[in-house]
Every structure is written in structure tokens, then in C-alpha cells.
């Protein structure tokens, strides 16, 4: 049976795991995110150790951005303008390519999660869908025609500019670039700052915070619906553990679109529950996604 290494490179931690073509994870470990000089030798050692137990077939890296994903670029495989110490313009793919003679899948953490959901999770029947994570930040991955969308760079769906009625919500937002973009208004840290709590978990389910949160997420889903025409929108990440958000978004979205999109996914009160949905892989979406990138890169090599 094939064995794949998944590396989920996040802002606070790197998760490494071994999985198979079915997305079953047999082994995982976590390292805190430090500079490349500190964390990469630990990961390389982990892969060498795992290789002692059986052949590894491919490596997949789902990574925090921004990334250079254009294979024609000499910088392909790099993390680009990040403020994280040591990672700015660091070519993570090249590092692994130089050490392991294996196919290496590489994409944003959210595109990776989208691919994992497509292979093994909530989007197995969909070729056009969005995976949005609502956590410390907000980010989205997109699959169109069965392929992950990159475009000129890659989508930055968390920084969508959305309407804010300042008479209802005077919060200035926390995005250092745009203040009141979606991430600035609706990420976990924005909930914490706006309502003065240590964690979004401290806000009880009946708190007005959740109506406002649902409104911003519904507005984002309206814009994604209008621009990308997805078959599904998967909402994952820590904040979406508040399951009440889903029913609120299901109610708000048709009102925002106001009968303009006459598709049953929006107009039918049952079908909309299958349109805006939780991640099928739950907390595993990120690492399963990294393994999915490895599986995909292995499959491309089989075709080539
Ligand atoms: P990250 O985005 O860092 O990968 P998460 O997706 O877990 O991690 O998101 C972390 C954020 O989610 C934090 O801001 C936290 O306040 C919020 N969060 C975590 N669990 C819950 C919960 N059960 N309900 C609401 N918010 C939560
Ligand atoms: Zn922003």
C-alpha cells in the first residue's frame, strides 16, 4: 500500500502525518512553528524515521501564504511576503526536493483542505466548491472543474470587502491592511476584540455576537455565490464549531440574494442545508488536505 507524507504548515504549528490513498492517517506529530532552521530539520528527521518503516511515495505540503504557485516562475515553491521570521521568500519545496527524490504537492493550506474534502470529505460529489476556514484568520480554497484554483496568485477570500452598517456595528475591524474586511470583522480574534473576551468560546450561544457573525459570513457567502457559482460552500475552522451559525446563515443568505439567484440551493429551505455545510473532515481537514496534495502529485506523476 502507498504511504504519503502530509505537512500542514501553519502559523503556530506544523503537523506532519503519514496517510494512505483512502485518507486514513496512521501516524502524526506536531512541531511548533519556529524559523526554518529550527523546524525543518525536525520534519526532515521525521520523514527519514518514517521511511525506515516502509517506502514513502510522495510528500504534500499545505502551507500558510502568500505562496508562489506558478510552476513557470523561478520562485515556484516559495513562501513570499510573509512577516513570519525566516520564512520570507523561503523556498520550502526546493528544500524537500533537494533531499527526497519524490513528487511534492504544494498549495495553500486552504486549497489543501479543499482537496481533502473533495477526496474524502463533504465535497466528494462536487467539482466546483469552496472551502472557507474561519479561525485565527479567514481564508478560502476553491475547486473549479475539478482543479484547485490559483489564478495569477491565489485567491485571498478572507479579505473580501463586505458591507458594514456602522450604525449597527461600530467596530473598526482588526485587519492591518483593510480594517473591516471579512477577516477584520469575523475572524476569531476579531470576535475576541469586539466583545472583550479571552476566546470566542466564552461567548454563549444566545449572545448577539453570533447573529452579527452569521450576517458577515452570509454576506461573504452571497458574494462567493455570485462570483464563483459553487455547488457547495464548506465552512470549517474553530469559529464554525458554533453549529448555530449554520442555521443562521441558511436563513440570512436567501434574504441577501433577494430572489436573484433562483437556484434551489438558495431558494429551497432544505437544499440550502446541503449548500452551506460544515467540513466533513472536521479538525483533520488541514492535515488530510496535505496528504491529499501528496496523493494528487503522485497521481500526476503516474499520468506523466
Ligand atoms: P487556526 O485558524 O489558528 O488554524 P482554528 O481554526 O482552531 O485555528 O481557529 C482558532 C480560532 O477559533 C480562535 O480565535 C478561537 O477563539 C476560535 N474558536 C475555537 N474554538 C471555538 C469554538 N468552539 N467556538 C467559537 N470559536 C472558537
Ligand atoms: Zn483584510
Amino acid at each position: 500500500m502507498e504511504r504519503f507524507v502530509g505537512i500542514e504548515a501553519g502559523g503556530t504549528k506544523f503537523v506532519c502525518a503519514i496517510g494512505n490513498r483512502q485518507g486514513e492517517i496512521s501516524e502524526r506529530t506536531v512541531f511548533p512553528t519556529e524559523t526554518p532552521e529550527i523546524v525543518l530539520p525536525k520534519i526532515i528527521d521525521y520523514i527519514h524515521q518514517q521511511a525506515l518503516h516502509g517506502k514513502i511515495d510522495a510528500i504534500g505540503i499545505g502551507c500558510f501564504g502568500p505562496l508562489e504557485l506558478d510552476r513557470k516562475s523561478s520562485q515556484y515553491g516559495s513562501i513570499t511576503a510573509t512577516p513570519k521570521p525566516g520564512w520570507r521568500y523561503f523556498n520550502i519545496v526546493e528544500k524537500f526536493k533537494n533531499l527526497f527524490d519524490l513528487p511534492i504537492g504544494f498549495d495553500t493550506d486552504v486549497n489543501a483542505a479543499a482537496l481533502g474534502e473533495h477526496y474524502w470529505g463533504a465535497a466528494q460529489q462536487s467539482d466546483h466548491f469552496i472551502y472557507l476556514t474561519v479561525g485565527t484568520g479567514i481564508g478560502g480554497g476553491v475547486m473549479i472543474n475539478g482543479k484547485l484554483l490559483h489564478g495569477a496568485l491565489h485567491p485571498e477570500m478572507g479579505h473580501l470587502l463586505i458591507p458594514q452598517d456602522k450604525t449597527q456595528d461600530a467596530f473598526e475591524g482588526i485587519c492591518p491592511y483593510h480594517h473591516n474586511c471579512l477577516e477584520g470583522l469575523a475572524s476569531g480574534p476579531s470576535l475576541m476584540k469586539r466583545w472583550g473576551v479571552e476566546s470566542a468560546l466564552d461567548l454563549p450561544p444566545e449572545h448577539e455576537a453570533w447573529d452579527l457573525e452569521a450576517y458577515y459570513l452570509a454576506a461573504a457567502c452571497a458574494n462567493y455565490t455570485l462570483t464563483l457559482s459553487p455547488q457547495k460552500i464548506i465552512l470549517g475552522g474553530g469559529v464554525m464549531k458554533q453549529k448555530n451559525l449554520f442555521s443562521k446563515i441558511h436563513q440570512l443568505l436567501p434574504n441577501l440574494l433577494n430572489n436573484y439567484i433562483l437556484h434551489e440551493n438558495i431558494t429551497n429551505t432544505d437544499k440550502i442545508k446541503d449548500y452551506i455545510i460544515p467540513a466533513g473532515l472536521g479538525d483533520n481537514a488541514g492535515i488530510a488536505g496535505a496528504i491529499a496534495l501528496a496523493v494528487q502529485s503522485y497521481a500526476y506523476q503516474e499520468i506523466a
Side-chain angles (χ1 to χ4, degrees):
M1 190 191 276
E2 296 120 351
R3 292 168 82 235
F4 300 99
V5 171
I7 303 170
E8 180 191 6
T12 53
K13 62 183 192 298
F14 274 62
V15 183
C16 302
I18 303 288
N20 64 16
R21 202 178 265 267
Q22 283 72 43
E24 291 155 351
I25 295 169
S26 55
E27 149 73 33
R28 69 190 283 156
T29 192
V30 177
F31 303 111
T33 301
E34 294 177 83
T35 60
E37 292 74 26
I38 296 174
V39 72
L40 290 180
K42 295 180 189 169
I43 295 170
I44 290 157
D45 186 49
Y46 173 82
I47 299 174
H48 283 309
Q49 290 298 321
Q50 291 303 321
L52 297 176
H53 304 296
K55 187 169 158 283
I56 306 259
D57 293 286
I59 299 172
I61 308 168
C63 193
F64 62 84
L67 306 178
E68 179 55 82
L69 297 170
D70 180 357
R71 287 181 180 272
K72 294 194 197 92
S73 162
S74 60
Q75 301 299 312
Y76 171 78
S78 299
I79 297 161
T80 60
T82 178
K84 289 183 183 57
W87 291 100
R88 203 174 167 86
Y89 296 102
F90 186 90
N91 196 321
I92 189 166
V93 171
E94 195 175 78
K95 180 84 187 172
F96 286 94
K97 264 266 170 253
N98 288 341
L99 288 166
F100 301 99
D101 184 22
L102 292 172
I104 298 184
F106 179 59
D107 216 316
T108 59
D109 42 10
V110 277
N111 261 351
L115 190 65
E117 290 290 332
H118 181 61
Y119 281 179
W120 308 304
Q124 292 181 49
Q125 317 302 329
S126 307
D127 283 340
H128 316 276
F129 70 95
I130 292 166
Y131 174 90
L132 194 79
T133 181
V134 188
T136 306
I138 301 184
V142 183
M143 178 173 276
I144 297 287
N145 293 326
K147 287 199 160 166
L148 297 172
L149 178 66
H150 297 150
L153 176 69
H154 46 73
E156 288 284 2
M157 306 177 71
H159 293 267
L160 208 67
L161 305 178
I162 49 174
Q164 179 186 22
D165 180 350
K166 292 253 168 118
T167 64
Q168 301 294 315
D169 174 29
F171 183 57
E172 65 278 15
I174 60 157
C175 175
Y177 296 91
H178 321 110
H179 306 292
N180 63 347
C181 66
L182 180 65
E183 181 170 295
L185 292 174
S187 60
S190 85
L191 280 165
M192 286 141 70
K193 180 149 189 229
R194 180 203 310 257
W195 302 105
V197 287
E198 290 277 307
S199 160
L201 269 171
D202 297 338
L203 294 162
E206 62 281 2
H207 196 285
E208 62 182 306
W210 301 116
D211 287 330
L212 195 61
E213 179 73 9
Y215 167 74
Y216 290 130
L217 293 175
C221 288
N223 286 325
Y224 302 144
T225 300
L226 292 163
T227 48
L228 291 164
S229 190
Q231 294 162 326
K232 284 189 191 301
I233 300 178
I234 300 173
L235 300 179
V239 173
M240 296 314 298
K241 288 188 177 159
Q242 296 291 324
K243 290 290 171 243
N244 289 343
L245 282 172
F246 285 92
S247 55
K248 290 180 197 287
I249 296 168
H250 295 153
Q251 279 186 4
L252 287 163
L253 180 60
N255 295 342
L256 288 168
L257 290 170
N258 198 23
N259 284 326
Y260 183 68
I261 303 287
L262 291 174
H263 189 282
E264 59 184 10
N265 282 353
I266 311 293
T267 55
N268 182 308
T269 49
D270 280 328
K271 298 247 159 114
I272 199 167
K273 294 177 192 155
D274 293 324
Y275 178 56
I276 310 280
I277 53 172
L281 301 170
D283 287 342
N284 267 341
I287 187 60
I291 291 166
L293 289 176
V295 172
Q296 186 188 61
S297 68
Y298 186 69
Y300 280 163
Q301 173 205 248
E302 282 174 338
I303 297 164

